[in-house]
Amino acid sequence: RLEFLKEVRKKVRLGGYFFLDVNNFYYYRYGRLRSLFRVIQDKLSPPKSFGSGDLFFHMNVGANQVSCSGHIFRPSEIVSLVKRSGFLVEKIKFIDYENGKLSDFYYSGQISILCRNPC
């Protein structure tokens, strides 16, 4: 993931912007109790790796069942990756895809980050 962001940074001109939108591990629409549990669990025992956000599942595509994988990011994880890749975080918002509302609260939606490639 870090290498991907570093490659993206090479493509963005100096002073240019990059918009990133990722799934949020704490998003309340995954289940309010599940989200609360995740926040409390991470506060009491911070994860040593972010592998707990990795997902493995199957999807039906036509007549075939396809194995898939993905990752749900914690806000601190994706912000750290963005910064480590050399981008600056210009703005971070959370977008509730159910109703489109913007918020500053980390549990209220997908993580949307405006990144800038510094001059």
Side-chain angles (χ1 to χ4, degrees):
R1 294 172 184 126
L2 178 59
E3 292 306 312
F4 170 77
L5 287 171
K6 286 179 179 180
E7 287 299 316
V8 168
R9 185 169 171 241
K10 290 177 186 177
K11 307 287 186 213
V12 176
R13 67 177 169 79
L14 292 178
Y17 291 90
F18 169 65
F19 178 77
L20 181 63
D21 181 74
V22 297
N23 291 321
N24 184 347
F25 192 73
Y26 302 136
Y27 187 31
Y28 78 97
R29 291 207 187 267
Y30 294 144
R32 292 178 193 270
L33 289 177
R34 177 186 287 169
S35 295
L36 179 61
F37 175 75
R38 287 175 171 177
V39 170
I40 292 169
Q41 183 180 30
D42 284 354
K43 294 289 183 193
L44 295 175
S45 179
K48 295 183 181 24
S49 77
F50 288 99
S52 64
D54 290 343
L55 302 174
F56 302 94
F57 55 96
H58 299 282
M59 289 180 63
N60 292 326
V61 178
N64 299 317
Q65 190 174 67
V66 179
S67 296
C68 303
S69 64
H71 186 80
I72 300 177
F73 290 87
R74 290 165 172 85
S76 60
E77 174 191 16
I78 192 61
V79 167
S80 174
L81 285 170
V82 165
K83 289 178 178 178
R84 287 174 43 212
S85 73
F87 278 110
L88 299 175
V89 174
E90 288 289 311
K91 187 183 286 190
I92 184 167
K93 291 285 185 182
F94 301 89
I95 302 172
D96 188 325
Y97 283 163
E98 192 78 15
N99 59 29
K101 290 184 179 178
L102 289 176
S103 176
D104 292 322
F105 299 108
Y106 66 90
Y107 59 83
S108 61
Q110 299 295 105
I111 306 166
S112 299
I113 305 172
L114 181 62
C115 312
R116 184 170 56 85
N117 194 0
C119 299

